[in-house]
Amino acid sequence: METATEKLRLSQISPRIMQSEIRSMTVECDRLGGINLAQGVCDTEVPSAVVENAIKAIHDGHNIYTRLDGIAPLREAIARKLAHYNGIQADPDSEVLVTSGATGALYAACLALFDPGDEVVLFEPFYGYHVNTLLSLRIQPIAVPMAMHTWEIDFDVLRTAITPRTRAIIVNSPSNPCGKVFTRSELEQIAVLAEEHDLFILTDEIYEYFLFDGTKHISPASLPGMAERTITISGLSKTFSITGWRIGYLTANKRWLASIGYFHDLTYVCAPSPFQYGSAAGLVEMTDTFYNEMAVEYQAKRDLLCGALQDAGFTPSIPPGAYYVLADVSSVPGATAKEKARNLLASTGVAGVAGTAFFTGGRGENILRFCFAKRDADLQRACNLLRDYRA
C-alpha cells in the first residue's frame, strides 16, 4: 500500500528553517576533534556558589515544577539586579518571568505579541535564532544592514524599513555576532522611532556584562518613556557559564507579561527548578567586583584571539562587547564562507562559523565568526594553531 503524500508532509515553513550553521560547525568540529570557536558555549568555570546551591536544591527536593514565572528568590534577585545595574524598576511578582533561556523568552514574547504577517525590524549582522524564531512564527524579519566593520546605523535606512505592518524593533546589545554596543544616542534615536510608529522594542541583553575598553551598557527600558513598550530579555547562561542550564529571564510591563508567561508555560512549563536556585544564589552572592573582573578577563581573551587572527593574515573587527570576533578571512581557500570555515578547520583544527549565518543578500562570504569564551589553555592552543596557519 502506497503512503499518502498530500497530508503527510512538512509544514510550509520547515524548508526555510534549517539547522543553524553554528550547530553544523560544532558537529564537524567534534568529528575532527578540533577546538570549537564556532559556538558560544562559554566553556569557562561556573562560580562555586551557583554549582553548590543547585546541587543543594536537588538534595533538598526542589525537583518539581515551579510557578510558571519562576521561584520567588530568583525573581526577587533579578528585580534587584535590574534596579541596580540596568536602571529598570520591575515588580518581581508581576513583571519578571524566569524563562527557558533567552531564546525561550524571545519565543514566548513573539507568540504573545505578534501575529502571522507582522513585520519586525532587526539589525544586520544578526543572531540567526532571532531571525528563525520570527520566521517559525510566520513573522517577517526585516534586516537593516549596519556599516561593515564600524557597525554604524543609517537611521534613514532604518526609518525606511518601517512600514504599516511593523510591530517591533529588535535590539541586541552587546551584539552577537559583531560585539556592537549600542550607544545612548543610538538607543534614543531608536526610541523616537518606536514612539512615533507605536512599536515594541525587544532587547536581547544576554551579554550585558561583557564590556571592554570602558564601554557602558544601556538598557532601552531605562530611557524616558520606554518602559511600557520595551521587552527586556537576558539570562544567566553567559554570565555564570551555564549555557546548558537554560536559565533566562524577561521583564516587561505587567500589561504584557501575563500573556508572555502563559505562552512560555505552554511551550516550556518552567525553567529547571534546581538550576533556578543555583542561579538565584549566584545573583545574591556575586558582587560588582565579580562582573568587573570578568570583563577584564574576557578583554584579555579578546586581545589574545584578535592578535592570533592578525598573525594568521586575517583582519578582525575588534569588538567592544560580547565574546565573538568577526574576521575577514579572504585568504582562506573556498568559494563560500561555509567552505572557508571547513577548510580552515581541516587545516588548523580550529572551528569558526560562516559569516553568511549572520547576513542577508550575499554579504559575509569572506567573514568567519570566532568565539573566545574558552578556558585559557584551550584558547591559547587555538591561537597557536591559527598563528601557524598558512593559506
Side-chain angles (χ1 to χ4, degrees), residues 198-257:
D198 199 22
L199 306 176
F200 284 107
I201 299 293
L202 273 64
T203 171
D204 182 342
E205 304 180 24
I206 193 75
Y207 300 100
E208 61 191 337
Y209 288 109
F210 296 86
L211 301 166
F212 316 128
D213 305 316
T215 304
K216 302 297 183 184
H217 174 70
I218 298 167
S219 293
S222 70
L223 300 180
M226 291 304 292
E228 183 178 7
R229 66 177 66 251
T230 302
I231 313 299
T232 302
I233 295 168
S234 193
L236 290 313
S237 292
K238 315 297 184 179
T239 309
F240 293 158
S241 301
I242 51 172
T243 54
W245 288 22
R246 313 312 302 137
I247 301 294
Y249 62 83
L250 175 152
T251 184
N253 186 283
K254 60 185 177 182
R255 180 180 175 189
W256 320 118
L257 194 117

Side-chain angles (χ1 to χ4, degrees), residues 8-121:
L8 298 182
R9 55 176 172 77
L10 294 172
S11 70
Q12 293 178 351
I13 201 67
S14 290
R16 299 174 61 190
I17 308 292
M18 305 299 290
Q19 174 174 284
S20 78
E21 181 61 15
I22 299 169
R23 302 237 179 236
S24 296
M25 280 305 298
T26 294
V27 171
E28 183 65 8
C29 183
D30 289 345
R31 188 181 72 82
L32 296 178
I35 303 174
N36 187 3
L37 303 191
Q39 189 172 3
V41 295
C42 201
D43 182 21
T44 51
E45 292 294 336
V46 182
S48 59
V50 177
V51 173
E52 291 164 6
N53 280 275
I55 294 170
K56 182 177 184 298
I58 293 172
H59 289 305
D60 288 348
H62 296 299
N63 302 302
I64 61 174
Y65 301 137
T66 70
R67 239 174 69 162
L68 72 85
D69 55 354
I71 62 171
L74 181 52
R75 286 184 283 106
E76 291 164 0
I78 290 168
R80 289 192 297 269
K81 173 263 175 191
L82 288 167
H84 172 70
Y85 182 71
N86 303 90
I88 297 172
Q89 300 300 319
D91 181 348
D93 288 323
S94 62
E95 295 180 321
V96 174
L97 174 69
V98 178
T99 61
S100 184
T103 52
L106 177 66
Y107 190 73
C110 290
L111 279 168
L113 302 178
F114 308 133
D115 296 309
D118 286 345
E119 295 177 353
V120 172
V121 172

Side-chain angles (χ1 to χ4, degrees), residues 65-69 98 261 263-271:
Y65 301 137
T66 70
R67 239 174 69 162
L68 72 85
D69 55 354
V98 178
F263 281 107
H264 186 270
D265 174 51
L266 185 66
T267 310
Y268 304 99
V269 181
C270 65

Side-chain angles (χ1 to χ4, degrees), residues 148-149 151 309 313-317 325-341 343-344 352-370:
M148 291 293 286
H149 307 302
W151 316 121
L309 290 167
F314 307 145
T315 305
S317 294
V325 177
L326 290 182
D328 187 305
V329 294
S330 301
S331 60
V332 177
T336 66
K338 291 182 180 180
E339 290 180 6
K340 290 177 184 293
N343 287 335
L344 184 67
V353 65
T356 46
F358 314 105
F359 292 90
T360 59
R363 299 206 306 168
E365 288 291 14
N366 287 312
I367 293 174
L368 296 184
R369 189 199 74 175
F370 299 90

Side-chain angles (χ1 to χ4, degrees), residues 98-151:
V98 178
T99 61
S100 184
T103 52
L106 177 66
Y107 190 73
C110 290
L111 279 168
L113 302 178
F114 308 133
D115 296 309
D118 286 345
E119 295 177 353
V120 172
V121 172
L122 72 170
F123 298 95
E124 181 187 293
F126 47 71
Y127 177 44
Y129 273 54
H130 292 164
V131 167
N132 286 333
T133 294
L134 296 172
L135 289 173
S136 70
L137 297 172
R138 275 72 169 181
I139 301 161
Q140 184 61 42
I142 305 296
V144 172
M146 296 186 289
M148 291 293 286
H149 307 302
T150 65
W151 316 121

Side-chain angles (χ1 to χ4, degrees), residues 174-201:
S175 167
N176 176 4
C178 65
K180 176 183 175 62
V181 179
F182 284 62
T183 66
R184 180 176 293 275
S185 175
E186 289 172 328
L187 293 173
E188 287 174 343
Q189 291 181 77
I190 292 169
V192 167
L193 288 172
E195 291 184 323
E196 179 183 339
H197 296 275
D198 199 22
L199 306 176
F200 284 107
I201 299 293

